[in-house]
Amino acid sequence: MSKTILLIEDNSNMADNIASILELAHYQVLLAANGKMGAAMAQQHHPDLILCDIAMPELDGYGVLHILSSDPDTAEIPFVFLTGKADVKDVRTGMNMGADDYITKPFDEVDLLKVIDVRLKKKARSGNDSGGGSTFFNKTKELREFQKLSENRPTRTFRKKDFLFMEGQSPNDLFYINRGSVKTYKINYDGKELITRMCHAGEYLGYTSLLEEKPYAENAEALEETEVSVIPKEDFLSLIYSSKDVSRTFLKLLSLSLDENEKRLLDLAYQSVRQRVAGTLLQIASKNVDSSPVITMARRDIANLIGTAIESLNRTLIDFRDEGLIQMTDSGLKILDRHRLENLLH
């Protein structure tokens, strides 16, 4: 029985070329012209492998991976990024998020087929391990158990500017964001705020302090009305110690957090304000998986996330507007030319 591959690619010429190669190799091909369509098709058809472009309108490759890796029914599908040569340094982010491999465009047909073959064979081996049932089934079961960690839990609603926790408090709970968004930040001796992380629906919060058994090292504040599920510390640690897959997931989250902080420090040291603003706008937009193309985050929060004065941010945003890169409206900021913003980073 032939394998089914979902190809998510917004460039029609590139998509047709890849699809013809795959069909000649006797794969069945599903085509999606953007990230939103691709995520929906993956959840509906459960293909054997997904090839996904990174830079796309509507929803980029990172957003697609985030949605599918959070869904137990699609989390185990091999996920391969398609990326331009200039984007290779961004692949590390995708790999840390759980991508299995990447292919650099333009690519050799043989290389494309080799990567697909290797990933499908690896998936087949993991699904046929001995031990009283397939590893795939066991992992799916573990992922469902992981998902249940946040299900049927007491929920709390925080208004905008309410604190979920404050620096120095002892951690007693793990928080799962059902809706809304939260910023974590530190205050320096001069009273300046530096945002360390932006958290959105579908993300966990507070696990670092629970795992380290140390007081919170930062503040967590709701950016809008936010609903969270509250998981007691004992339940979280019990699952961590009893499930290798769950512990591995949170270790990966910790690793990703460290990588993101390392990258931010390097950006602060070596990137210009224009580059930092461009990168941050792209990052915020990629988190808007609820279809909103408008960045509604307060400018002061954007400035604190970048590590610059709000006056410098405003000057840069005006330059971007005049250059046709963004549109500034009463409701927020809208990216008009994603490709040119990405080019500012290189």
Side-chain angles (χ1 to χ4, degrees), residues 162-228:
D162 281 351
F163 286 98
L164 280 73
F165 54 78
M166 299 181 68
E167 183 176 358
Q169 287 182 337
S170 297
N172 293 310
D173 302 295
L174 175 70
F175 300 98
Y176 177 81
I177 303 176
N178 296 312
R179 61 178 174 85
S181 56
V182 176
K183 67 177 180 180
T184 62
Y185 65 92
K186 296 180 71 69
I187 302 291
N188 68 9
Y189 291 109
D190 298 323
K192 181 175 176 57
E193 176 183 307
L194 178 63
I195 294 179
T196 55
R197 183 183 169 202
M198 303 297 300
C199 308
H200 303 270
E203 296 186 49
Y204 288 92
L205 189 65
Y207 52 84
T208 303
S209 296
L210 287 172
L211 291 172
E212 293 181 344
E213 298 184 345
K214 292 181 179 180
Y216 292 117
E218 55 200 0
N219 305 290
E221 179 183 320
L223 290 170
E224 57 188 321
E225 184 174 284
T226 299
E227 179 191 89
V228 302

Side-chain angles (χ1 to χ4, degrees), residues 31 88 95 140 154 184 201 223 240 244 267 271 296 316-317:
L31 287 174
V88 171
M95 300 298 281
T140 301
T184 62
L223 290 170
I240 284 287
K244 290 190 296 183
D267 290 346
Q271 284 192 331
T296 57
T316 305
L317 291 176

